[in-house]
Amino acid sequence: MEQKCAPRRSLRLLAIASATLAIVSMLATVIIVPLVYNHVQHLQSVMNSEVDFCKTRSRDMWREMVTVQSVSGGIPARTAR
């Protein structure tokens, strides 16, 4: 009788362990996936604002260069030594 109970106990322990692992993995998935999605969405919005800032600065620099060139009469000619 003792020999038949040992495999049942080990199978029961294995079933409990696998069910516990499945529950833990499902809870981790339910918690981690939204956190990762939120983090990626935040990074995307930060990057979009940084790109817009760089575009604005670049456009302002080009306008300033054009203004300076128009006031100074264009690119000055190089003189020979």
Side-chain angles (χ1 to χ4, degrees), residues 57-77:
R57 291 290 293 162
S58 174
R59 186 176 57 238
D60 291 346
M61 281 191 260
W62 276 107
R63 284 182 184 162
E64 189 175 338
M65 281 180 27
V66 168
T67 303
V68 167
Q69 285 179 354
S70 67
V71 168
S72 67
I75 300 173

Side-chain angles (χ1 to χ4, degrees), residues 23-66:
I23 290 171
V24 168
S25 64
M26 286 298 292
L27 287 175
T29 302
V30 166
I31 293 170
I32 290 174
V33 169
L35 288 175
V36 170
Y37 180 79
N38 189 24
H39 181 68
V40 169
Q41 190 175 21
H42 175 72
L43 286 178
Q44 184 180 9
S45 69
V46 168
M47 290 304 296
N48 281 338
S49 66
E50 291 289 327
V51 167
D52 288 342
F53 175 76
C54 287
K55 284 180 182 178
T56 304
R57 291 290 293 162
S58 174
R59 186 176 57 238
D60 291 346
M61 281 191 260
W62 276 107
R63 284 182 184 162
E64 189 175 338
M65 281 180 27
V66 168

